[in-house]
Amino acid sequence: MSNILIFSSITITLALIFYTVGVWAERITKYLKAWHVVVFWIGFTFDVCGTLAMHYISDKPFDFTDMHTLTGQIALWLMLAHASWATAVVRKNKTKLRRNFHSYSLFVWLIWLIPYIGGMIMGMN
């Protein structure tokens, strides 16, 4: 197994761990805290690193018609929007916004799981 494949697998898994911890900690407390936002950004960063590494080892060109590429791009852009919006919500410090944010977080996390699980299945084949 090549070093870049190991790196990509580890970084994508770290993205899953950080993003999941952030989303579920926020969901359980039903209040967006600053540390949740930090964990969202860390998860997003690991996901970008892992995605780029996987792009370098792929023998296929970047193709939006490929379902895994399309769902992965949707998930990355949603994660970016999610982390950015979470940052803005924490900065505004409005209780109602911070209490209701967890619904959006769970939605983005569920969408993110589609390319994650799809990638795992593709990797097993």
Side-chain angles (χ1 to χ4, degrees), residues 4 6 8 14 25 33 35 38 45-46 63 70 91 93 101:
I4 193 123
I6 294 168
S8 63
L14 286 170
K33 298 176 182 177
W35 76 267
V38 171
T45 302
F46 277 127
D63 180 11
L70 180 62
R91 284 186 177 161
N93 200 24
F101 197 81

Side-chain angles (χ1 to χ4, degrees), residues 64-123:
F64 271 119
T65 62
D66 177 77
M67 189 55 69
H68 183 65
T69 300
L70 180 62
T71 58
Q73 285 297 305
I74 290 168
L76 275 175
W77 287 104
L78 276 173
M79 287 175 75
L80 175 61
H82 174 252
S84 299
W85 188 15
T87 301
V89 166
V90 167
R91 284 186 177 161
K92 287 181 183 179
N93 200 24
K94 295 191 178 191
T95 301
K96 184 177 180 184
L97 290 174
R98 291 176 86 159
R99 288 198 186 281
N100 294 328
F101 197 81
H102 63 88
S103 298
Y104 179 57
S105 296
L106 189 60
F107 169 76
V108 172
W109 180 77
L110 288 169
I111 296 297
W112 185 85
L113 285 177
I114 294 168
Y116 181 83
I117 293 169
M120 275 188 359
I121 291 169
M122 285 173 33

Side-chain angles (χ1 to χ4, degrees), residues 7-19 46 112 116:
F7 175 80
S8 63
S9 299
I10 289 170
T11 54
I12 291 290
T13 302
L14 286 170
L16 172 71
I17 291 166
F18 278 94
Y19 217 69
F46 277 127
W112 185 85
Y116 181 83

Side-chain angles (χ1 to χ4, degrees), residues 15-79:
L16 172 71
I17 291 166
F18 278 94
Y19 217 69
T20 300
V21 166
V23 167
W24 284 101
E26 180 204 1
R27 176 84 177 165
I28 290 166
T29 61
K30 296 198 183 328
Y31 188 81
L32 179 63
K33 298 176 182 177
W35 76 267
H36 297 140
V37 177
V38 171
V39 172
F40 295 155
W41 281 110
I42 292 170
F44 173 72
T45 302
F46 277 127
D47 198 17
V48 169
C49 290
T51 300
L52 284 172
M54 288 187 185
H55 174 69
Y56 288 123
I57 60 175
S58 176
D59 57 349
K60 299 177 190 173
F62 186 82
D63 180 11
F64 271 119
T65 62
D66 177 77
M67 189 55 69
H68 183 65
T69 300
L70 180 62
T71 58
Q73 285 297 305
I74 290 168
L76 275 175
W77 287 104
L78 276 173
M79 287 175 75

